Amino acid sequence: MNAKNAASMNPDELLQMLEQQATEYALMILDPEGRIIHWLAGAETIFGYAASEVIGQQHSMLFASEDIEQGAPQKELAIADSGSPAEDDRWMRRKDGLRFWANGVLQAMRSPEGAIIGYGKMLRNRTDLKGHIESLENEIRTLKHADERKNGFISTLAHELRNPLSSLTNAAELLKAELRDTQDAAFAMAIILRQMDAMRRLVDDLLDITRISTGKVKLELRDMALEDVLKAAVETCRPLIDDRTHELHLILGKEPVIVRADPARLQQVFVNLIQNAAKYTEYGGIIWVKLLVEGREAVVKIEDTGIGISPELLPRIFDMFTQAEFAERESGGLGIGLSVVRDITRLHGGAVTVRSDGIGKGSEFTVRLPLAGTSAKRPDSPARDA
């Protein structure tokens, strides 16, 4: 005799087969008062109760004691009464007293007239998933704690470095004044001061990383001409640019581009980007700093003919310490500056992106900032080289 296929069986036969074989799912029917009136095979497998032990009992017998005290079974029925499926993820109790994590839903069943005639409840044992979630939550807490300790260490380190660095700077300035007539001494002192200035900026970046991550950076916003910030940033970077014999072009429009920003913080962004362009460009290279307006955004592009960025580094270039993984890069740093650039730009409501065609093909960093009010104008005259 050939076995019947599903198409040749009536719905009652199919439902009976489903009841008997769907043992991974607990299926039950409740009356309007929440008493169990139908107990399928899967429910017996998951809860350990035979049908004769639960029929006529309140479905609250399946809940954990703390959920019963908080009225969870009644709340579940009330939600279903309102017309929405009552979905839940909770601990439930087996006959042997053991608990399991259940993912389930309770659905009200209504007559054609709309009266509630009972409830259908289906759930599944997902203790395995709960264990995985708890493991991930523990990992997140551990990582968060480690991150807090890291921020504390960086902040302490930066403050500890700042004090001796300040003393060294003052002493170097005194020596510079005393030895200004000696050419070799003046040359050596210029190197010392330049390197201490680089150290100071590194310490400031370290402090900013911790301040930004803990929400302690407060911007002093005002309407300002972006050209002024760019000019100041270029002048700050001029010693490094000249030392590496680069050619720099600052390209501005004739009309001012007004943004609402913290001038000191914004200058920090562009100093970092211009210094990076200078550091990662071979001696005698070319750097462009361009300012334009696109729509309601001020756009600053910093391009160079430098060593470029590899495809594997490009997506992570703004992540802290990324550059430290690529120590083969000439003058490779810790990658702190670009992380600060990204975060400060975001604090201003802007964004920073990077483009590079690969190693040896230069790079282009683009900073976008919202224009301030209606005072900002699009540069519609030919650009000039400042």
Side-chain angles (χ1 to χ4, degrees):
M1 181 177 176
N2 293 330
K4 293 181 179 180
N5 58 39
S8 65
M9 300 176 68
N10 64 51
D12 290 339
E13 289 179 299
L14 292 173
L15 285 173
Q16 186 176 11
M17 291 181 63
L18 180 62
E19 290 179 12
Q20 295 170 348
Q21 297 176 22
T23 55
E24 292 186 4
Y25 295 86
L27 303 170
M28 66 193 80
I29 305 296
L30 314 179
D31 69 10
E33 285 71 45
R35 290 186 293 264
I36 301 169
I37 59 175
H38 197 39
W39 186 254
L40 279 65
E44 182 172 343
T45 300
I46 290 176
F47 284 96
Y49 289 102
S52 60
E53 297 176 285
V54 297
I55 297 298
Q57 300 293 324
Q58 284 288 335
H59 82 301
S60 59
M61 67 176 290
L62 307 173
F63 284 68
S65 57
E66 64 270 19
D67 286 337
I68 294 175
E69 292 174 1
Q70 295 173 6
Q74 293 74 28
K75 290 177 183 177
E76 191 175 77
L77 294 174
I79 292 172
D81 288 348
S82 70
S84 299
E87 299 180 1
D88 59 52
D89 294 278
R90 67 176 78 252
W91 291 107
M92 302 200 79
R93 184 166 54 86
R94 285 175 43 85
K95 178 182 177 180
D96 57 15
L98 296 178
R99 296 184 177 199
F100 66 94
W101 185 258
N103 169 250
V105 61
L106 180 77
Q107 174 73 52
M109 299 185 295
R110 299 177 184 273
S111 68
E113 294 75 29
I116 293 177
I117 59 174
Y119 304 89
K121 184 174 180 65
M122 179 177 70
L123 58 85
R124 188 180 184 189
N125 184 346
R126 294 315 309 267
T127 307
D128 58 337
L129 180 61
K130 177 63 172 176
H132 183 59
I133 291 173
E134 290 180 344
S135 177
L136 290 176
E137 288 174 344
N138 288 333
E139 288 185 23
I140 290 171
R141 282 192 291 269
T142 300
L143 290 172
K144 184 178 180 180
H145 180 63
D147 187 59
E148 291 171 352
R149 293 181 62 190
K150 177 264 296 177
N151 284 337
F153 171 77
I154 291 175
S155 180
T156 301
L157 174 64
H159 281 290
E160 291 296 323
L161 289 172
R162 213 176 206 182
N163 293 330
L165 185 58
S166 178
S167 299
L168 286 170
T169 301
N170 293 335
E173 290 288 355
L174 289 173
L175 287 174
K176 180 181 178 181
E178 291 294 327
L179 302 175
R180 60 180 177 271
D181 295 330
T182 307
Q183 185 175 358
D184 290 343
F187 176 76
M189 195 56 59
I191 293 175
I192 292 171
L193 289 170
R194 186 163 62 248
Q195 294 303 319
M196 284 196 298
D197 186 55
M199 289 175 62
R200 179 188 56 78
R201 285 194 296 271
L202 177 59
V203 168
D204 288 343
D205 283 346
L206 283 168
L207 284 172
D208 281 335
I209 284 291
T210 59
R211 288 168 180 161
I212 291 170
S213 65
T214 55
K216 293 182 179 179
V217 170
K218 303 298 181 184
L219 299 181
E220 297 181 6
L221 300 175
R222 64 178 177 83
D223 289 356
M224 44 157 288
L226 195 50
E227 293 87 345
D228 295 340
V229 172
L230 292 175
K231 290 176 182 177
V234 168
E235 286 309 306
T236 299
C237 301
R238 180 62 67 182
L240 177 61
I241 292 168
D242 292 343
D243 182 63
R244 296 181 67 86
T245 65
H246 294 322
E247 181 181 332
L248 184 141
H249 300 279
L250 176 59
I251 301 174
L252 309 171
K254 290 186 177 180
E255 297 293 336
V257 177
I258 309 300
V259 296
R260 187 161 185 79
D262 182 323
R265 289 296 183 182
L266 215 51
Q267 182 175 332
Q268 184 180 1
V269 166
F270 296 119
V271 165
N272 261 311
L273 292 176
I274 295 170
Q275 283 185 336
N276 267 10
K279 285 167 59 179
Y280 297 126
T281 298
E282 299 288 350
Y283 284 78
I286 305 175
I287 300 170
W288 295 268
V289 179
K290 305 175 183 178
L291 173 61
L292 58 150
V293 173
E294 295 179 359
R296 297 298 301 161
E297 292 182 322
V299 180
V300 178
K301 294 181 179 290
I302 298 173
E303 305 173 41
D304 61 61
T305 58
I307 64 174
I309 304 170
S310 63
E312 64 268 23
L313 177 60
L314 202 58
R316 299 187 292 121
I317 192 68
F318 295 105
D319 294 343
M320 189 166 59
F321 305 132
T322 291
Q323 287 174 322
E325 301 175 25
F326 295 80
E328 70 275 8
R329 294 185 65 170
E330 181 185 356
S331 302
L334 293 176
I336 296 172
L338 288 181
S339 181
V340 172
V341 164
R342 177 197 59 194
D343 293 340
I344 292 178
T345 303
R346 286 177 177 174
L347 288 176
H348 282 84
V352 58
T353 56
V354 62
R355 182 186 66 81
S356 177
D357 292 331
I359 297 298
K361 298 183 178 180
S363 60
E364 175 188 272
F365 286 84
T366 301
V367 175
R368 295 179 176 273
L369 297 165
L371 295 174
T374 58
S375 59
K377 298 181 180 180
R378 178 186 296 275
D380 51 6
S381 55
R384 57 185 172 84
D385 215 350

